[in-house]
């Protein structure tokens, strides 16, 4: 199979984050076995999803990890002109869910396997495919921990998120909490005797707005100035609560997430959030003592810190010829690899602007550029 054949197959698996990815993992495992490469799975707690990693070539230190995720975002509610789970080539573009984010890179990484075997690489090519990246980079950490235990130490990790094949050396961190306001129902005409979970929850959301206002007005650090926006942000993107308009809401649930500039301290933001939660909870309990606020961390995605003379950055710059400095505001699994002492960089085909969009596409020219990158990488490992 060539890279395009592999892409067509990967896109055909409807691996939206809320369903299992095991059909795709089965297929990848069989594909690797067909080339004589054994793979290892790392399951989630429920056993309905798995990450997969493999070592291609000799079991020696100094290889390169190609890291991608297998899940995609939903297509419901989006107006697609084609079947999102069938790759359609039109006007120099490959349309389909995940072509850009990031099954295009996954296909290229898998296409590099027979190249590496044919060239007789002296340093290994390692494949790492995760689950649940789109809902908080949940699948990578246990996979990385197992790779650290069982694979030869790699000198570099290339995370193939769409970067137009540029070397992206830094990204913001992502930290999210899910908040459940437990209020007390009364008729809204007597709202002073009840606790409206929605209205008290709004106090926390307004606090997030105040955090953004303060950060936006501050002078950015030299590191922050490289990002757009050049500051740490707080965000609520989904909220649920209440039963009827004339009843004070018993429940309200929402998330508060932070996208942290590298160098900012997440513990400072965590402490400030929990302090505000305690203040609002005290207000609620002053009215009805049994009310409360439940807060649980949803995800933890450390930032990718630019590395001074990092092995991954040097490698990607040598293979791509890109010597400019690039950072992005979205989070990836690169920070999780770096947290476990891997040298990591982001470099993959496609434009992040196409990710998660209806009629998502990957330009054919980018796919070809990605294939050329793989060929150069294999040459590097062989030489």
């Amino acid at each position: 199979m060539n890279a395009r054949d592999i892409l067509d197959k990967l896109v055909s698996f409807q691996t939206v984050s809320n369903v299992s990815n095991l059909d795709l993992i089965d297929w990848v495992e069989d594909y690797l076995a067909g080339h004589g490469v054994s793979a290892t799975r790392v399951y989630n707690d429920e056993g309905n999803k798995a990450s997969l990693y493999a070592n291609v070539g000799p079991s020696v230190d100094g290889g390169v990890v190609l890291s991608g995720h297998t899940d995609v975002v939903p297509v419901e509610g989006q107006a697609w002109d084609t079947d999102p789970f069938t790759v359609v080539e039109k006007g120099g573009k490959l349309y389909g869910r995940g072509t850009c984010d990031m099954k295009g890179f996954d296909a290229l990484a898998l296409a590099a396997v027979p190249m590496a075997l044919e060239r007789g690489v002296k340093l290994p090519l390692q494949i790492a495919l995760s689950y649940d990246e789109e809902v908080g980079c949940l699948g990578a950490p246990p996979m990385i921990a197992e790779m650290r235990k069982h694979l030869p130490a790699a000198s570099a990790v290339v995370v193939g998120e769409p970067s137009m094949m540029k070397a992206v050396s830094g990204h913001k961190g992502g930290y999210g909490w899910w908040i459940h306001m437990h209020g007390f129902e009364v008729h809204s005409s007597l709202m002073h005797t009840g606790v409206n979970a929605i209205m008290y929850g709004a106090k926390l959301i307004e606090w997030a707005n105040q955090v953004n206002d303060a950060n936006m007005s501050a002078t950015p650090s030299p590191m922050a100035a490289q990002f757009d926006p050049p500051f740490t942000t707080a965000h609520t993107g989904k909220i649920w609560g209440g039963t009827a308009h004339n009843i004070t809401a018993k429940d309200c649930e929402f998330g508060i997430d932070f996208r942290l500039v590298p160098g900012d301290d997440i513990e400072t933001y965590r402490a400030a959030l929990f302090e505000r939660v305690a203040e609002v909870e005290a207000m609620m309990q002053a009215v009805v003592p049994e009310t409360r606020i439940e807060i649980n961390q949803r995800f933890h995605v450390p930032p990718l810190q630019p590395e001074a003379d990092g092995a991954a950055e040097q490698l990607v710059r040598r293979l791509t010829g890109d010597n400019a400095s690039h950072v992005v505001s979205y989070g990836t699994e690169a920070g999780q690899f770096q947290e476990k002492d891997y040298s990591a960089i982001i470099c993959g085909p496609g434009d992040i602007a196409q990710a998660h969009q209806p009629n998502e596409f990957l330009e054919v020219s980018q796919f070809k550029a990605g294939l050329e990158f793989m060929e150069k990488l294999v040459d590097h490992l062989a030489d």
Side-chain angles (χ1 to χ4, degrees):
M1 299 180 74
N2 61 32
R4 173 59 196 280
D5 295 332
I6 299 171
L7 175 62
D8 290 353
K9 189 65 180 180
L10 295 181
V11 170
S12 73
F13 294 105
Q14 300 186 26
T15 51
V16 179
S17 303
N18 63 350
V19 301
S20 174
N21 73 335
L22 292 184
D23 286 348
L24 182 150
I25 293 297
D26 289 343
W27 184 87
V28 171
E29 193 169 51
D30 288 344
Y31 168 84
L32 292 173
H35 291 289
V37 175
S38 62
T40 301
R41 300 187 186 200
V42 183
Y43 286 93
N44 65 349
D45 290 340
E46 295 75 20
N48 64 343
K49 296 180 182 180
S51 297
L52 177 148
Y53 65 86
N55 189 84
V56 182
S59 293
V60 297
D61 293 347
V64 175
V65 178
L66 297 177
S67 168
H69 60 81
T70 62
D71 58 320
V72 296
V73 297
V75 298
E76 284 76 18
Q78 295 186 334
W80 281 75
D81 296 330
T82 61
D83 176 1
F85 297 105
T86 300
V87 178
V88 175
E89 183 172 348
K90 183 172 57 177
K93 299 173 181 176
L94 300 169
Y95 290 90
R97 174 56 86 220
T99 53
C100 178
D101 184 22
M102 62 180 297
K103 290 180 177 179
F105 179 83
D106 294 346
L108 294 167
L110 293 172
V113 170
M115 294 184 208
L117 295 171
E118 289 166 10
R119 287 281 279 117
V121 291
K122 297 182 177 66
L123 297 173
L125 178 73
Q126 296 178 355
I127 303 295
L129 301 178
S130 69
Y131 63 87
D132 280 0
E133 190 274 347
E134 296 291 5
V135 291
C137 295
L138 304 180
M143 174 184 68
I144 294 169
E146 290 299 306
M147 291 172 66
R148 267 296 183 206
K149 291 179 186 177
H150 301 296
L151 290 189
S155 64
V157 177
V158 180
V159 178
E161 293 282 0
S163 72
M164 298 298 288
M165 296 307 299
K166 302 297 184 183
V168 174
S169 59
H171 68 61
K172 290 185 177 183
Y175 303 85
W177 282 267
W178 191 251
I179 298 170
H180 187 167
M181 312 291 295
H182 296 271
F184 187 81
E185 289 180 315
V186 298
H187 194 282
S188 60
S189 64
L190 298 172
M191 62 177 293
H192 65 293
T193 64
V195 173
N196 189 318
I198 293 174
M199 296 184 73
Y200 279 94
K203 295 179 185 293
L204 294 178
I205 295 172
E206 177 54 26
W207 172 83
N209 285 327
Q210 293 168 3
V211 168
N212 288 332
D213 290 343
N215 287 354
M216 190 182 304
S217 62
T219 301
S221 67
M223 173 63 73
Q226 300 179 57
F227 289 85
D228 181 21
F231 53 88
T232 291
T233 57
H235 178 255
T236 293
K238 186 176 181 180
I239 187 168
W240 168 88
T243 54
H245 186 65
N246 60 353
I247 303 174
T248 58
K250 181 181 179 181
D251 296 283
C252 179
E253 296 185 46
F254 54 91
I256 290 183
D257 306 338
F258 298 98
R259 289 192 179 271
L260 242 69
V261 170
D264 281 5
D265 180 19
I266 184 56
E267 285 305 315
T268 300
Y269 285 93
R270 180 190 178 281
L273 171 62
F274 276 66
E275 180 180 356
R276 184 56 180 156
V277 166
E279 291 171 354
V280 173
E281 186 177 61
M283 297 177 200
M284 297 165 60
Q285 292 177 347
V287 182
V288 179
E290 60 264 34
T291 58
R292 61 190 176 91
I293 301 175
E294 181 183 355
I295 180 168
N296 293 293
Q297 188 164 16
R298 286 194 305 162
F299 59 86
H300 165 107
V301 183
L304 176 64
Q305 304 272 2
E307 303 170 6
D309 300 320
E313 182 174 346
Q314 291 184 35
L315 172 65
V316 168
R317 291 196 186 285
R318 186 161 67 250
L319 298 182
T320 63
D322 175 31
N323 291 312
S325 178
H326 308 282
V327 298
V328 292
S329 291
Y330 59 82
T332 79
E333 296 167 342
Q336 294 174 322
F337 275 98
Q338 189 181 65
E339 190 177 50
K340 295 302 181 183
D341 299 323
Y342 283 94
S343 177
I345 193 81
I346 300 166
C347 184
D351 188 340
I352 192 63
Q354 300 306 320
H356 304 184
Q357 297 299 307
N359 297 322
E360 176 183 349
F361 68 81
L362 174 65
E363 292 182 358
V364 172
S365 60
Q366 279 289 297
F367 196 57
K368 290 180 178 178
L371 187 58
E372 291 172 2
F373 175 90
M374 294 301 171
E375 292 168 347
K376 292 177 180 178
L377 174 61
V378 169
D379 288 342
H380 163 78
L381 296 173
D383 293 338

